[in-house]
Amino acid sequence: MDARDVWKSYGKNVANQGVSFNIDEGEFVAFLGPNGGGKTTLMRQIYGELYPDRGEIRIMGERPQKALRFMGVVPQEGRPLDSLTAEEHVTLLGMLKRFSRQEARAKARELLELMGIDPKARVDNLSGGNKRKVLIISAIISDPKILVLDEPTVGLDPEARREVWNYLVEMKKEGKTIILTTHYLEEAETLSDRVYFLNKKILLEGKVSEIKQKFSEYYVVTNVDSGEKYYVKREELMEFLGKANFRFEVKLSSLEEIFMRLFQ
């Protein structure tokens, strides 16, 4: 998948500014950035709901609208159909992806039970987190080559989020290409091969380990009692700690701390 100099505006408001990236087959990539930073706009162009004003996106050599048959998508604002049972909802999406009714129903039951959802439960009676899981299952039932997940675990409790993580890890092992946006920095750090920091344009890109190494000249010193954080250069660390009049913890920058430094 390739994007070249992608621009997208809403009137005078620029959402994406000259965005370029390359994602290899079987790679798990996360896009990180603040609210209003253009992540969802970019995802909507990747799965073909929007067209770039300038530039282009190619997926498996095709425009996104033609490549949609290879994709499973969980939009940020997606909502399941409340009038159906969980099984009916997922089965319908499987049939739209050209499974037979019998095949789609069997796969729907398997995935729903794996995610801890009663297939016969009405969607409108499910919790917000389980509704989100129904959307994720509906996206993966067709065994897509590419998954586009825009804030897929928002609203999930920690246990449910881990269940989704585990399933995504298994999908990656099967060679799926996965594109994720998330505000959970631990999620990106745990799952991703590479991350892009996006605020209208790409600010930083690389493997998580490479990015952390790039920022490793700074240590994060945390006041254990107040929670206040200090970013201290390696060569100044011993002097800083010698003058500290509080209990402290010292560690290298996490992805979350790098995010905060980029977008503060």
Side-chain angles (χ1 to χ4, degrees):
M1 179 185 304
D2 296 281
R4 293 287 176 266
D5 195 30
V6 170
W7 290 73
K8 187 65 182 178
S9 299
Y10 301 100
K12 294 182 179 179
N13 296 319
V14 177
N16 295 144
Q17 181 179 344
V19 173
S20 297
F21 61 82
N22 174 266
I23 298 173
D24 294 329
E25 183 178 348
E27 195 173 21
F28 197 131
V29 171
F31 285 84
L32 308 174
N35 288 329
K39 302 186 302 299
T40 292
T41 294
L42 184 61
M43 294 306 106
R44 291 171 69 191
Q45 292 173 91
I46 288 173
Y47 60 77
E49 183 179 338
L50 297 176
Y51 289 84
D53 297 333
R54 287 164 44 192
E56 67 173 4
I57 297 173
R58 291 285 179 175
I59 301 171
M60 302 178 70
E62 297 184 326
R63 294 187 182 278
Q65 291 75 17
K66 289 189 175 181
L68 190 58
R69 66 187 184 277
F70 302 121
M71 288 189 265
V73 177
V74 178
Q76 186 184 76
E77 301 298 332
R79 297 287 185 274
L81 300 171
D82 285 345
S83 60
L84 303 178
T85 66
E87 181 183 302
E88 288 169 342
H89 189 285
V90 180
T91 298
L92 176 61
L93 269 293
M95 292 172 65
L96 290 174
K97 292 291 187 175
R98 301 186 180 180
F99 284 6
S100 70
R101 182 184 296 273
Q102 184 177 1
E103 290 172 329
R105 180 179 292 122
K107 188 66 174 175
R109 288 177 180 171
E110 175 189 342
L111 291 172
L112 287 164
E113 290 171 358
L114 180 67
M115 294 284 193
I117 298 176
D118 179 1
K120 299 302 181 184
R122 282 179 59 91
V123 170
D124 56 356
N125 292 330
L126 295 175
S127 67
N130 279 342
K131 287 182 179 181
R132 199 68 182 163
K133 287 163 75 172
V134 167
L135 285 177
I136 294 170
I137 294 166
S138 298
I140 63 182
I141 187 173
S142 62
D143 195 27
K145 295 181 180 180
I146 300 167
L147 267 176
V148 183
L149 309 172
D150 194 2
E151 302 284 353
T153 59
V154 65
L156 299 186
D157 61 49
E159 182 179 359
R161 189 176 300 129
R162 288 286 177 175
E163 291 174 2
V164 173
W165 290 9
N166 291 339
Y167 197 80
L168 293 178
V169 167
E170 290 304 311
M171 294 200 76
K172 183 182 182 303
K173 289 179 181 177
E174 295 173 5
K176 311 299 183 189
T177 303
I178 303 175
I179 304 166
L180 171 77
T181 75
T182 180
H183 282 297
Y184 299 113
L185 277 296
E186 181 189 5
E187 186 165 271
E189 191 162 356
T190 300
L191 297 174
S192 304
D193 298 314
R194 283 191 301 131
V195 297
Y196 286 89
F197 287 94
L198 177 71
N199 191 8
K200 303 185 188 301
K201 58 185 177 181
I202 302 294
L203 301 180
L204 184 66
E205 173 270 331
K207 295 181 179 179
V208 173
S209 58
E210 293 172 345
I211 290 175
K212 292 178 73 172
Q213 183 64 33
K214 183 175 182 178
F215 283 79
S216 66
E217 71 271 17
Y218 287 89
Y219 283 84
V220 181
V221 180
T222 303
N223 183 322
V224 174
D225 298 312
S226 70
E228 188 173 1
K229 295 181 185 294
Y230 305 87
Y231 299 95
V232 184
K233 289 185 178 180
R234 184 195 304 271
E235 62 272 18
E236 298 171 357
L237 181 64
M238 296 309 296
E239 180 182 357
F240 180 90
L241 296 179
K243 295 179 180 179
N245 59 354
F246 52 83
R247 295 187 303 154
F248 54 79
E249 178 184 68
V250 182
K251 61 180 181 179
L252 289 173
S253 295
S254 68
L255 205 59
E256 183 171 357
E257 275 119 15
I258 294 168
F259 179 94
M260 295 301 294
R261 290 176 59 194
L262 282 172
F263 297 113
Q264 276 182 340

